[in-house]
Amino acid sequence: MKITYWSDFACPYCYIGNTRLKRAIDDLNLDVEFDIRAFELDQNAPINVQSTTVERFAKKYGLSLEDAERQVSQISGLGHDEGIDFKYETTLYTNTCDAHRLMKLAQSKYPDKVGKLSESLFDAYFVENLKLADRDVLLKIALDTGLDENDVKEVLNSDLYNIKVEEDEDIALSAGIHAVPFYLFDNKYSIPGALSYDDFKKVLTQIIAENEVDDDKETCSCSDGVCKI
């Protein structure tokens, strides 16, 4: 099974949704190929922190600071439920383009490191509360993941892979994707948003069943008492 998904490393539901999905995949013992696509929630996000997460959340959704703090805390609680030391309230919101460009580097030259890099970037933001626009932070994450220092510095000191990030986002917008996470299973079944673990498991089970039926139809088509190979 192939799962393509668009996400941003500053999106809490992306981290929560991916964690639930991977748990469901593990429990069903599935062989899955992931195709991670870039999606910046705010392409104009600053390089330096300009406000707290609660302040930004309140402004974005037209909430009081008290209501925003309550909702941000509830989202952190969802992360805690998935076993993540989730600290959404104290995240340092900055631009994530460089983080996405590093992911493109990994996908291009270090495919076996993609999953680890993705999780490390999410952890850096939501658990360690690091600035994902800080290139020293990104360099350390990439090196700890196993990427080559020269390759990483080449990306961070240039605009390499910018076009790849933009292509992902253009594809998303042309497909009507305006929010993340967004999952596409086998290029046929789309799931917008972070489903619960149980719902992800139901979706995966249904897709497996439908694929098995499709395989049977391709192998043997029977009509009028005749089966054709």
Side-chain angles (χ1 to χ4, degrees):
M1 182 184 299
K2 180 178 180 179
I3 301 177
T4 303
Y5 68 87
W6 282 261
S7 68
D8 192 6
F9 299 112
C11 167
Y13 286 110
C14 292
Y15 194 12
I16 293 167
N18 292 351
T19 302
R20 292 171 176 170
L21 173 59
K22 290 174 182 177
R23 183 155 62 94
I25 289 170
D26 288 343
D27 287 350
L28 290 171
N29 196 29
L30 300 181
D31 182 16
V32 173
E33 173 191 354
F34 285 105
D35 181 13
I36 302 174
R37 300 297 182 95
F39 191 104
E40 297 167 87
L41 288 172
D42 182 2
Q43 295 177 353
N44 298 312
I47 298 298
N48 296 308
V49 179
Q50 296 183 353
S51 62
T52 68
T53 295
V54 171
E55 290 169 344
R56 184 177 55 81
F57 200 92
K59 182 178 180 180
K60 182 176 181 178
Y61 297 106
L63 302 172
S64 67
L65 287 176
E66 291 77 11
D67 287 341
E69 185 174 8
R70 187 178 304 109
Q71 290 199 24
V72 168
S73 179
Q74 289 173 349
I75 294 171
S76 284
L78 296 176
H80 295 156
D81 291 343
E82 298 305 319
I84 306 168
D85 186 15
F86 217 85
K87 304 184 185 77
Y88 188 28
E89 297 91 333
T90 48
T91 52
L92 302 178
Y93 186 75
T94 57
N95 197 283
T96 59
C97 185
D98 285 345
H100 286 294
R101 292 196 301 121
L102 280 185
M103 178 55 64
K104 292 303 168 189
L105 167 64
Q107 290 173 313
S108 175
K109 301 184 70 171
Y110 306 90
D112 60 323
K113 307 295 185 182
V114 167
K116 183 179 179 182
L117 179 61
S118 176
E119 186 170 342
S120 294
L121 288 168
F122 276 119
D123 269 348
Y125 187 74
F126 288 105
V127 177
E128 300 178 64
N129 290 161
L130 300 177
K131 284 174 53 179
L132 290 188
D134 186 318
R135 293 185 172 181
D136 288 335
V137 168
L138 292 174
L139 175 61
K140 184 177 187 306
I141 293 171
L143 296 184
D144 288 346
T145 302
L147 276 60
D148 179 77
E149 183 173 359
N150 291 329
D151 286 341
V152 175
K153 286 183 175 179
E154 182 183 10
V155 171
L156 294 178
N157 294 325
S158 69
D159 62 357
L160 198 61
Y161 296 110
N162 266 2
I163 292 177
K164 291 292 185 181
V165 172
E166 292 171 358
E167 286 176 350
D168 282 356
E169 294 172 338
D170 288 344
I171 291 171
L173 293 178
S174 66
I177 301 170
H178 299 287
V180 286
F182 187 94
Y183 302 91
L184 181 62
F185 296 80
D186 284 339
N187 293 318
K188 295 189 293 184
Y189 313 93
S190 60
I191 301 292
L195 298 183
S196 68
Y197 160 79
D198 288 335
D199 285 341
F200 269 130
K201 198 169 183 180
K202 289 177 183 177
V203 168
L204 291 168
T205 301
Q206 180 178 348
I207 293 173
I208 293 168
E210 291 180 5
N211 285 344
E212 289 176 348
V213 170
D214 289 342
D215 288 344
D216 288 342
K217 287 181 179 179
E218 291 178 3
T219 303
C220 179
S221 174
C222 299
S223 60
D224 299 326
V226 176
C227 290
K228 299 178 180 179
I229 302 298

